[in-house]
Every structure is written in structure tokens, then in C-alpha cells.
Amino acid sequence: MYEDTSSRNGKRVLVDRLWPRGMSEERAHLDAWLRDVAQSADLRHWRHHDQERFAEFRDRYIGELEDADHRPAVQHVRDLAAHDKVTLVTATKDLGHSEAAVLAQWLGAAGTASR
């Protein structure tokens, strides 16, 4: 979210449930905000940035991605990726342990994750 944008990013899609603090829509340069592809509030609260819980978080989040509530948002990301490069954008500082990284891997690395 806070990195400079580039034409190589393709479609920039925010995948956080909450809008990043201090970021204006103009500075974000997003093509879409798919909050419904993000982890549930319950899962976010459970993990609470605890890296020791990442493996279980990953499994639980993938379970959520496969449920009916996430299906339309997941399909939207897939549709975008079918026509253009997609950069999954997040405000998370630890990109390697983020929902964006899990989502990118789960989607088959069709896009990239960016902060």
C-alpha cells in the first residue's frame, strides 16, 4: 500500500478488510478494494499479528476463502487476473506473513502481493 506504484503492477487490488490508516484514495492508486476476500474479523482478532499462529492462520484463512461468503470476491480477483496482471495490496508490514501472501499463493501465484 505504501510502496510507489508502477505500470508493471497491473491492477492494484486492496485485500484488507479495513482501509489503511492515513491513506487517501488518491494516494492508494487502487483499481479495486475487495474487503470480502479478506480474513474474517474473528480470524483477524484471533491472530492479532502473532507470528507463532501464522501456520494455523494460513489454514483457517484458506478455509474461509473456500466458503460461500468469500466466493464472489475470490471470483472477482480471478476474473481480474485472467485479463491482466494483478498486484494484491495490503497495509501489513510483514508481507511474508500476510493474508495477501496467503491469498496470492492460494490463487496459484496469479498475482503478486505488495505493501
Side-chain angles (χ1 to χ4, degrees):
M1 175 58 75
Y2 303 102
E3 294 175 359
D4 291 335
T5 61
S6 165
S7 60
R8 295 185 316 257
N9 290 147
K11 300 288 184 189
R12 290 174 44 87
V13 179
L14 178 62
V15 295
D16 291 346
R17 184 162 303 279
L18 304 175
W19 186 263
R21 286 185 213 175
M23 179 60 64
S24 68
E25 287 185 40
E26 296 78 31
R27 273 188 46 219
H29 299 287
L30 296 173
D31 295 290
W33 177 19
L34 298 179
R35 69 185 79 172
D36 290 336
V37 79
Q39 63 193 325
S40 67
D42 288 343
L43 185 55
R44 183 172 54 85
H45 291 296
W46 172 81
R47 180 172 177 219
H48 194 62
H49 304 289
D50 183 344
Q51 298 309 358
E52 292 180 16
R53 291 184 170 184
F54 183 73
E56 186 174 347
F57 161 79
R58 182 184 178 286
D59 293 343
R60 287 183 182 194
Y61 179 45
I62 288 171
E64 288 185 353
L65 289 170
E66 294 171 345
D67 72 23
D69 291 340
H70 286 78
R71 195 168 296 133
V74 167
Q75 189 57 50
H76 191 147
V77 172
R78 286 184 171 143
D79 291 346
L80 290 171
H83 296 87
D84 200 352
K85 180 178 179 180
V86 171
T87 298
L88 304 177
V89 178
T90 182
T92 304
K93 292 178 182 170
D94 184 358
L95 192 56
H97 294 96
S98 70
E99 67 184 328
V102 173
L103 178 60
Q105 183 180 30
W106 184 76
L107 289 169
T112 60
S114 175
R115 182 172 173 267

